[in-house]
């Protein structure tokens, strides 16, 4: 699994996974896809807005991406410490 796939898996831990419902940017959204990373630092999900039923790509907030990166780094360090 490459780093972008691993980052997508970490972002899913924060609720950005297919079929979840979230409130983002003041809108209620149903997520239709898992996170994708078409560019270096930006992660997107396909979502349907509950009110209008329109489907669009929504960028995962930068702070969520940064938390996912931090969590991945912390887990990596803990695993290396515990491997004897």
């Amino acid at each position: 699994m490459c780093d972008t796939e691993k980052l997508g898996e970490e972002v899913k831990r924060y609720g950005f996974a297919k079929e979840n419902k979230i409130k983002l940017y003041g809108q209620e959204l149903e997520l239709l896809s898992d996170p994708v990373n078409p560019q270096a630092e930006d992660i997107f999900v396909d979502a349907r807005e509950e009110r209008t039923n329109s489907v669009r790509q929504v960028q995962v907030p930068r702070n969520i991406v940064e938390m996912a990166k931090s969590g991945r780094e912390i887990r990596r360090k803990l695993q290396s410490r515990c491997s004897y």
Side-chain angles (χ1 to χ4, degrees):
M1 192 180 299
C2 70
D3 280 346
T4 57
E5 289 173 347
K6 289 178 185 175
L7 183 57
E9 290 297 315
E10 290 295 323
V11 169
K12 285 200 290 191
R13 291 176 187 241
Y14 290 94
F16 288 84
K18 187 176 184 177
E19 298 180 3
N20 280 355
K21 292 187 178 187
I22 61 169
K23 189 167 188 174
L24 184 66
Y25 307 126
Q27 300 170 342
E28 300 215 8
L29 303 170
E30 177 187 358
L31 302 182
L32 304 175
S33 71
D34 285 329
V36 293
N37 187 331
Q39 300 170 358
E41 295 294 318
D42 299 327
I43 295 182
F44 295 89
V45 291
D46 292 329
R48 177 183 300 125
E49 186 180 348
E50 292 284 322
R51 188 175 49 87
T52 63
N53 240 9
S54 63
V55 176
R56 60 190 172 103
Q57 245 189 359
V58 177
Q59 185 173 358
V60 175
R62 175 69 76 200
N63 62 332
I64 300 294
V65 175
E66 292 303 318
M67 287 189 306
K69 285 180 181 178
S70 297
R72 188 174 68 189
E73 290 298 317
I74 290 169
R75 270 191 291 289
R76 188 180 305 150
K77 286 178 184 176
L78 287 174
Q79 286 174 348
S80 67
R81 257 191 234 162
C82 294
S83 317
Y84 294 84

